[in-house]
Amino acid sequence: MWKFLSWIILFILWIFLISALIIDTAIYADIIGTMYFTKTPTIIVYGILMVICAYGAKRGLEQIGSVAWLSFPYIQFSFFVALLLTMGQGNANFLFPIFGPGAWEIVKESSLKLSIFGDFVFLFFIIPYVKNTNVFKKGTWIALFVIVANMVIGMISYVFLFDYTTVMQLNYPFHEVIRTISVGFLANLETFFFPFWIIESIVRFAAYLFLTALLFGHLFHIKHFEYIIPSLATIVVFIGILPETPSDTIFVLREGLLWGASPILFLLPFLIWVIAKVKGVLKNE
């Protein structure tokens, strides 16, 4: 019974993971196609993006981590430059009131949409491949701090430049920011920031694709799960290209996914703890 229950839980998590991968890659393909390569068919942009991600995922976790580690300082530097330019051209009055509709409303909305929490839940699937769990735990806490800090600062800069009402109407606020800011006679700064953003996107989706294949291989007892990565990438492209109006449809789907997955992801650690307690796994602690 326990094996069947664990299989059902893992299968649901896999559905959430591949759904998030499809929706997010479709959003990023739409960003690239509508804001940078307007004359290129979306299927070409989507296909090239997933081919590169599939190649990175098939190279394995170590290669993905190496690229992430090497590119991280440059990505943070580009983010810091964009932040400075935004602060220099924004309006501080747009930030008030600080808590917007209220602190309780912020806590409620954050609790109902656990996207970052979900990423960390899936991240822990790689623990069997980690040599030192203490280093992994320490790195996870550092990553959580960096991600939260970047997101808070990013949201502040968006509001600082556009005001809250306008930001809520923007599909891609980061790209609107880098297309708005300028330095002297240099107006098209998106050509500077785009390479860093696309590298970060490829690393992220390569990791998602690797985790999707890893979980799929575990569910269906596929030892060399790396070989199914190209097939999964192809499925992602064919499903992600289906919406005719991605700027509207995909965001509605993403909203529904967050509403459906967040309660399950929130309760999952407690469920795992109860199962481990009943099975006696924690009896030595």
Side-chain angles (χ1 to χ4, degrees):
M1 184 186 73
W2 294 116
K3 287 185 177 180
F4 178 73
L5 179 60
S6 62
W7 191 93
I8 292 296
I9 293 173
L10 287 177
F11 183 74
I12 293 173
L13 290 176
W14 182 80
I15 293 295
F16 287 154
L17 182 57
I18 194 170
S19 299
L21 178 61
I22 292 170
I23 292 172
D24 286 352
T25 52
I27 290 174
Y28 277 55
D30 183 60
I31 293 173
I32 298 171
T34 57
M35 304 194 74
Y36 298 99
F37 298 95
T38 56
K39 296 183 179 180
T40 306
T42 305
I43 184 65
I44 302 298
V45 174
Y46 207 159
I48 293 175
L49 175 65
M50 291 311 300
V51 165
I52 300 173
C53 293
Y55 174 77
K58 201 168 185 307
R59 292 296 299 269
L61 196 61
E62 186 174 353
Q63 296 297 326
I64 296 173
S66 298
V67 175
W69 179 254
L70 290 173
S71 60
F72 177 75
Y74 302 100
I75 294 171
Q76 287 297 114
F77 174 74
S78 67
F79 175 75
F80 180 70
V81 171
L83 174 65
L84 287 180
L85 295 176
T86 303
M87 293 301 180
Q89 300 175 29
N91 186 346
N93 293 325
F94 290 159
L95 297 177
F96 300 98
I98 293 294
F99 291 105
W104 170 246
E105 189 69 22
I106 294 175
V107 172
K108 183 179 70 174
E109 288 295 321
S110 301
S111 302
L112 294 175
K113 298 174 184 177
L114 302 175
S115 57
I116 298 178
F117 181 78
D119 286 343
F120 279 93
V121 168
F122 290 115
L123 179 65
F124 276 83
F125 284 122
I126 69 173
I127 283 185
Y129 299 88
V130 175
K131 293 181 180 179
N132 191 323
T133 55
N134 290 327
V135 173
F136 178 80
K137 292 178 182 178
K138 186 183 297 184
T140 302
W141 282 110
I142 295 173
L144 177 61
F145 173 78
V146 172
I147 290 171
V148 172
N150 282 351
M151 291 194 67
V152 170
I153 295 172
M155 290 302 300
I156 289 175
S157 65
Y158 300 156
V159 176
F160 197 85
L161 188 63
F162 294 121
D163 82 59
Y164 174 78
T165 304
T166 305
V167 170
M168 294 302 295
Q169 298 174 354
L170 297 176
N171 287 331
Y172 312 123
F174 172 76
H175 299 275
E176 294 293 345
V177 166
I178 63 177
R179 295 181 68 176
T180 303
I181 57 179
S182 60
V183 179
F185 63 91
L186 297 176
N188 299 321
L189 292 181
E190 64 267 23
T191 56
F192 170 77
F193 295 105
F194 177 75
F196 299 102
W197 175 81
I198 197 66
I199 291 173
E200 176 271 332
S201 304
I202 290 170
V203 172
R204 177 190 174 195
F205 293 135
Y208 277 15
L209 195 54
F210 178 87
L211 291 173
T212 303
L214 171 66
L215 195 52
F216 187 86
H218 182 78
L219 284 169
F220 298 100
H221 306 288
I222 302 174
K223 184 176 181 180
H224 299 288
F225 61 88
E226 298 89 354
Y227 295 111
I228 65 173
I229 288 176
S231 300
L232 290 174
T234 304
I235 293 172
V236 168
V237 172
F238 283 133
I239 298 178
I241 204 69
L242 289 177
E244 296 182 1
T245 54
S247 298
D248 299 323
T249 309
I250 293 175
F251 281 98
V252 173
L253 293 174
R254 189 175 189 274
E255 192 81 6
L257 179 64
L258 286 174
W259 277 98
S262 293
I264 296 176
L265 292 173
F266 181 79
L267 295 174
L268 181 63
F270 300 101
L271 179 61
I272 293 175
W273 182 83
V274 170
I275 293 175
K277 199 75 173 177
V278 172
K279 293 181 66 177
V281 176
L282 305 177
K283 62 183 179 180
N284 294 326
E285 297 185 5

